[in-house]
Amino acid sequence: MTQGAPAERSSGGVDPAPPPGSTTQPGDRTWMARALEQARAARIRGEVPVGAVLVHRGRLLCETHNLTATHADPTAHAELLALREGARRFGDFRLLETTLYVTLEPCAMCAGAIVLARVQRVVYGAADPKAGMAGSLGNLLQDPRLNHRAEVSGGVLADAAGALLRDFFRERRGR
C-alpha cells in the first residue's frame, strides 16, 4: 500500500476483477468485516482507512490499521503492523498457516514483507490499480521467481472497502 499523500491511496474508482483463480473460503467475509472495523478506526484517527487482520488456523492472531500519520512512519501500513505483531505473538517471523485479511490490495512494500513472512494466504477487499501488487499493477505475491508464493483472493467486501476509501479522500479534497 502506498501511504504518503492521500491521493496515492485512492482505490481509483472502479475495481478491476479479482486475480485469476481467486476463490473465497468460509469465514472470509467475517474476517474482512473485522478488517473493515479496523479501517473505520483508522479513519476516525485521520489515517487512510485501511485495516488488517491476521488469522492463524481460523483463530485471530492480531488486528490493526494504518498508523503512518500517527507514528510519522511511512512503513506503518496496516499489513506491516499486523505482520510485526503477529510474528511477536507467534514467536517466529515465519507466519506459516496464516491468512492476512486487508481492506486494500497490498503495495510492493507490504507484498514483499508478506512473502518474506511466508503468509499462506492473502485476502483483500478493494483492488488498488495505482499501487496494488496482488494482481492490479503487478503480482509480487505470486511471482514464481520468489521463494514463497501466497494464495490470493481479492474482492471480498470490495464495495464497502472502496467506498470507505473514496469517502475519506473526497472529504480530504473538500477541505
Side-chain angles (χ1 to χ4, degrees):
M1 290 193 270
T2 307
Q3 297 306 158
E8 294 176 18
R9 267 322 256 170
S10 171
S11 66
V14 178
D15 294 335
S22 182
T23 59
T24 58
Q25 294 180 6
D28 283 353
R29 292 177 62 85
T30 301
W31 290 117
M32 186 60 71
R34 194 151 179 167
L36 280 165
E37 289 174 16
Q38 286 293 315
R40 289 182 194 100
R43 183 179 182 179
I44 290 167
R45 293 180 78 143
E47 295 281 354
V48 175
V50 177
V53 172
L54 186 62
V55 176
H56 177 252
R57 295 182 182 172
R59 291 205 157 116
L60 178 67
L61 198 53
C62 64
E63 56 191 333
T64 190
H65 54 74
N66 278 355
L67 290 171
T68 56
T70 301
H71 292 170
D73 179 356
T75 70
H77 294 201
E79 299 97 321
L80 290 186
L81 296 172
L83 294 176
R84 287 176 190 146
E85 181 61 19
R88 188 187 68 73
R89 290 183 181 182
F90 207 56
D92 194 342
F93 75 91
R94 292 175 199 88
L95 296 170
L96 305 175
E97 299 181 64
T98 60
T99 299
L100 179 65
Y101 294 88
V102 60
T103 58
L104 183 63
E105 181 181 1
C107 70
M109 175 181 70
C110 293
I114 290 164
V115 169
L116 292 173
R118 290 148 179 95
V119 171
Q120 180 178 346
R121 185 166 177 256
V122 175
V123 179
Y124 68 85
D128 189 348
K130 294 181 180 179
M133 292 304 286
S136 290
L137 190 60
N139 194 345
L140 195 59
L141 293 176
Q142 296 179 320
D143 191 315
R145 297 169 294 179
L146 299 177
N147 67 330
H148 174 78
R149 284 164 292 290
E151 179 185 337
V152 176
S153 296
V156 177
L157 301 181
D159 290 341
L164 190 59
L165 286 159
R166 282 188 298 278
D167 291 348
F168 175 81
F169 289 112
R170 191 175 299 121
E171 282 177 14
R172 282 260 166 104
R173 285 189 296 271
R175 289 186 196 164

